[in-house]
Amino acid sequence: MRTQAIRIRAHGGPEVLERTEVEVGEPGPGEVRIRQSAIGLNFADIYQRRGSHGPHAATVFPVVLGAQGAGVIDAVGPGVQAPLHTGQSVAYFHPGAYQAVRNVPAQRVVPLPPGISEEVAGATLLRGLTAEYLLRRLHAVKPGEAVLVHAAAGGMGVILSQWARALGATVIGTVGSEAKMDVARAHGCHHVVNYRTEDFVARTLEFTGGKGVSVVYDAVGKDVFLPSLDCLRPLGMAINYGTASGDVEAFDLQRLHAKSLSVSRPTLRTFIADPADLRRGAAALFDVVLGGQVKLAVGHRYALADVRRAHEDLENRATTGAVVLVP
């Protein structure tokens, strides 16, 4: 069958995104075919489009962007076993998401339990899985800790803040506008700082009685990374998992010495490379959502055909919460 897709033939701005049609055949061994109802848009897609998403092999064009989506299985390939079956609502994490119908390896697919919609899962699975490893594995947040979440009103920030609070942490969030302060407060932050009008380092130290936070979750990068080190308490960790303002450049390791600080630049793919880890991470995410500790919502919806405008809005930080493309 033929299906709508969005691909690029070169790196660049939103103008390189082109609409096309591609052929989708029957699913091969170990694959399922998904008719998508929701495709997640993440800043990782911006990095991929720009060609600035970190060390990687040479890109072979054309490329269909995106990595997450949700929908209904309409065909099952040889060797695929229960619990996956035709007619089932599922979500997945696998490259090439920007198309209406596609084949996906069954090992990268997660069945959706009752109470988790395809739209919410398609929009937020990547962020939810990222939050799971950031909060539970890379740095296991403990009750009573203070944490700092940059971009706290963004798609990742609202999940991190809610989940960290549910784990018993005091959550300090930074945002870039007065309007976003209310969003951050409504999604788990005990304290919110507008970094455009206030010194977030001074305010973080004020909120923690001068002690600093145990961990900084940083999706901004260049503009906030070095000051964030001054927000950490001894043995604290700065986690840079995104670079919306640009890549973090080389810095003096001696900045870490006095307080024995740690720095990490992780990627989700490593933490869910094992299908069992993918399933465990998704199960933990669904548990906190169904339990009411984390509320997931879609903030913006765009037709797949309007993908250029969606990229522009996300890149210009004109969105709050999760963004979904609708085939």
Side-chain angles (χ1 to χ4, degrees), residues 1-3 22-27 33-34 99 101-103:
M1 71 173 71
R2 303 286 290 175
T3 190
V22 297
E23 187 69 28
V24 179
E26 294 298 312
R33 191 171 66 203
I34 301 173
Q99 63 185 62
V101 181
R102 65 173 309 209
N103 291 323

Side-chain angles (χ1 to χ4, degrees), residues 1-271:
M1 71 173 71
R2 303 286 290 175
T3 190
Q4 180 187 8
I6 305 294
R7 65 184 181 186
I8 62 172
R9 296 180 180 275
H11 294 305
E15 70 280 356
V16 303
L17 296 163
E18 63 176 33
R19 294 171 59 186
T20 187
E21 285 192 347
V22 297
E23 187 69 28
V24 179
E26 294 298 312
E31 292 184 334
V32 296
R33 191 171 66 203
I34 301 173
R35 189 172 297 275
Q36 300 201 82
S37 59
I39 299 167
L41 174 59
N42 300 282
F43 222 95
D45 304 348
I46 306 291
Y47 303 148
Q48 186 182 18
R49 192 201 71 221
R50 293 173 180 168
S52 61
H53 57 296
H56 53 79
T59 301
V60 179
F61 295 107
V63 175
V64 176
L65 296 186
Q68 69 169 359
V72 174
I73 295 176
D74 75 355
V76 174
V80 174
Q81 299 177 348
L84 300 180
H85 57 82
T86 303
Q88 184 174 45
S89 289
V90 295
Y92 69 87
F93 183 79
H94 189 70
Y98 284 15
Q99 63 185 62
V101 181
R102 65 173 309 209
N103 291 323
V104 180
Q107 289 189 329
R108 312 315 297 169
V109 175
V110 178
L112 296 181
I116 304 292
S117 73
E118 291 171 16
E119 183 183 62
V120 165
T124 61
L125 182 63
L126 183 151
R127 293 184 177 99
L129 291 170
T130 300
E132 188 277 329
Y133 87 76
L134 289 175
L135 294 165
R136 289 163 40 94
R137 289 192 275 166
L138 184 55
H139 174 89
V141 172
K142 301 177 182 62
E145 285 189 326
V147 306
L148 176 62
V149 179
H150 286 303
M156 264 301 304
V158 297
I159 300 175
L160 278 172
S161 299
Q162 292 176 85
W163 204 337
R165 183 167 183 148
L167 291 170
T170 297
V171 184
I172 303 167
T174 71
V175 296
S177 71
E178 292 298 314
K180 290 185 177 182
M181 294 184 77
D182 290 338
V183 174
R185 289 193 187 98
H187 292 85
C189 289
H190 295 85
H191 310 286
V192 186
V193 181
N194 183 342
Y195 69 85
R196 297 188 189 278
T197 59
E198 299 181 278
D199 181 340
F200 75 81
V201 177
R203 294 288 279 159
T204 297
L205 293 176
E206 177 186 335
F207 293 139
T208 58
K211 295 179 180 179
V213 298
S214 297
V215 60
V216 176
Y217 294 110
D218 168 26
V220 177
K222 185 176 182 179
D223 289 351
V224 304
F225 178 76
L226 288 179
S228 294
L229 299 178
D230 297 327
C231 297
L232 288 168
R233 66 186 309 159
L235 303 180
M237 174 180 282
I239 302 174
N240 172 241
Y241 66 93
T243 54
S245 69
D247 292 342
V248 176
E249 298 172 349
F251 68 96
D252 185 358
L253 281 175
Q254 291 303 109
R255 289 288 299 267
L256 310 179
H257 176 259
K259 294 191 288 184
S260 298
L261 304 179
S262 299
V263 171
S264 179
R265 181 64 174 98
T267 179
L268 171 62
R269 285 178 174 83
T270 308
F271 282 83

Side-chain angles (χ1 to χ4, degrees), residues 10 14 52 123 159 219 246 248 279 311 316 320:
S52 61
I159 300 175
V248 176
R279 290 192 294 271
H311 270 235
N316 292 329
T320 56

